[in-house]
Amino acid sequence: MAASSLLQLAPIGPLADRLLRDNLGAVRLWEEEADWLARHGAGVELLATSVRRGCDAAMMAALPQLRAISSWGVGYDTLDVEAAHARGIQVANTPDVLDDCVADLAWGLLIAAARRISASDRYVRAGEWRDLGGFPLTTKVSGKRLGILGLGRIGTAIARRGQGFDMQVRYNGRSPKDVPYGFEASLVALAEWSDFLVVACGGGPETRHLVSAEVLAALGPRGILVNIGRGSVVDQAALIAALEAGTLGGAGLDVLQGEPGAPTALCHRDNVVISPHVGSATIETREAMEQLVVDNLHAFLREGRVLTPILR
Ligand code: 8YV
């Protein structure tokens, strides 16, 4: 393979960056001259990118010989998969290896929001435990009803953990699956039934604002929303309005519209817990994701097929 055949659009992580350069001769676009694409784009056959950097149709058009894209991250809302498939370009993401960590964080946020762990931690640190006495009562988690929007790999890992908390689990998604959890064809009906509604679907136009004002109203003043999918799935203005009106009980959010950063209207609320999009952000999982970016390219070079293709 010629050295210029593999193009890396942006840094991915220390392991992937090193292996892509040392073992696969990747050209790092961000270290090249501004006209590198125009001069060498025609020779690029393989592309490494990430869900953060993405790859749009314009980039693909600049790479007429492109055959495979290997992207870091399970999400593909920033990749034009349709444009790639229309040209027969295989696109790989990094599923499976992050399921456990994202599901763990969903549960962390769910419990933190219900039991107000962050608020009670602030209470202790501010000396209020000593000065004011006991913390206000919070909401029980075990034995409640768990609704999941998007029962893919991550949603399933969240559901499995729900059994350890003696929860009933139902879900909503594109279609019912052969699973031991009830399917609710309507998201409003699922929200009405749920004590906790966890968003575990991907982003993009298909899922934009699925969690609407109506869904939040159905979840209700004792209901808690958790989002570890994408900020775009939730109508954030409606979420803020519902929290302000007290028509929603609380929220645990790893992803937000307009991230990085969070609106003050969410930051100052004790019934909201926010983490900075860290679902997969553990040493072990990030390493596995980076390795899979590299393995997908090796598999394509060896067998003409990436290991974990996005099938649409
Ligand atoms: C990343 C993710 O943490 O894989 C994804 O799609 O959302 C996460 O694993 C995120 O993309 C970091 O920016």
Side-chain angles (χ1 to χ4, degrees):
M1 223 181 82
S4 65
S5 291
L6 169 61
L7 177 65
Q8 184 180 349
L9 291 187
I12 291 173
L15 178 70
D17 295 352
R18 178 169 57 78
L19 295 178
L20 291 173
R21 186 193 52 203
D22 294 354
N23 300 351
L24 288 164
V27 169
R28 298 172 164 184
L29 188 59
W30 68 98
E31 290 178 356
E32 297 295 333
E33 300 291 325
D35 64 350
W36 191 93
L37 256 194
R39 289 176 37 227
H40 302 286
V44 172
E45 289 175 277
L46 304 175
L47 193 77
T49 185
S50 71
V51 60
R52 289 177 183 146
R53 173 62 172 82
C55 181
D56 60 14
M59 173 60 73
M60 287 178 223
L63 310 170
Q65 300 298 322
L66 188 62
R67 297 159 64 210
I69 299 173
S70 181
S71 179
W72 175 95
V74 69
Y76 47 86
D77 39 318
T78 53
L79 303 173
D80 195 334
V81 179
E82 251 175 51
H85 286 175
R87 271 179 50 190
I89 299 167
Q90 292 185 38
V91 189
N93 59 349
T94 59
D96 303 317
V97 293
L98 44 59
D99 297 350
D100 283 337
C101 277
V102 181
D104 291 350
L105 189 78
W107 273 94
L109 289 169
L110 188 158
I111 297 172
R115 301 300 304 271
R116 304 220 173 165
I117 293 175
S118 305
S120 62
D121 178 79
R122 289 192 290 273
Y123 189 79
V124 175
R125 288 169 196 244
E128 292 178 335
W129 184 20
R130 192 181 44 228
D131 298 343
L132 305 177
F135 191 74
L137 299 185
T138 60
T139 301
K140 182 172 176 177
V141 170
S142 289
K144 295 279 186 69
R145 293 172 164 187
L146 176 66
I148 300 178
L149 169 57
L151 200 74
R153 298 174 177 95
I154 293 171
T156 303
I158 293 167
R160 256 198 327 269
R161 284 158 175 73
Q163 294 176 323
F165 286 87
D166 300 321
M167 284 201 177
Q168 297 175 60
V169 180
R170 292 188 189 173
Y171 68 102
N172 170 263
R174 273 180 300 222
S175 52
K177 303 186 172 202
D178 186 17
V179 289
Y181 316 116
F183 177 71
E184 284 283 356
S186 140
L187 181 55
V188 172
L190 179 68
E192 225 155 54
W193 175 84
S194 301
D195 296 303
F196 301 97
L197 180 65
V198 180
V199 176
C201 61
E206 284 168 29
T207 57
R208 191 182 138 74
H209 287 191
L210 277 185
V211 178
S212 60
E214 193 189 358
V215 170
L216 294 168
L219 191 53
R222 294 165 70 99
I224 288 176
L225 178 76
V226 174
N227 189 1
I228 48 79
R230 283 292 180 264
S232 59
V233 183
V234 175
D235 179 342
Q236 199 157 288
L239 172 65
I240 291 169
L243 288 164
E244 275 169 3
T247 54
L248 180 70
L253 310 167
D254 185 48
V255 287
L256 289 168
Q257 262 171 26
E259 62 180 59
T264 321
L266 292 175
C267 291
H268 74 76
R269 304 203 67 87
D270 273 353
N271 56 349
V272 175
V273 180
I274 307 173
S275 52
H277 200 152
V278 290
S280 67
T282 63
I283 293 163
E284 298 88 337
T285 289
R286 285 291 170 83
E287 195 176 293
M289 291 164 71
E290 289 183 43
Q291 185 66 53
L292 188 49
V293 171
V294 179
D295 291 349
N296 268 312
L297 290 169
H298 278 299
F300 184 81
L301 288 169
R302 230 177 20 244
E303 291 146 25
R305 294 168 84 96
V306 294
L307 298 172
T308 52
I310 297 170
L311 304 167
R312 295 214 68 194

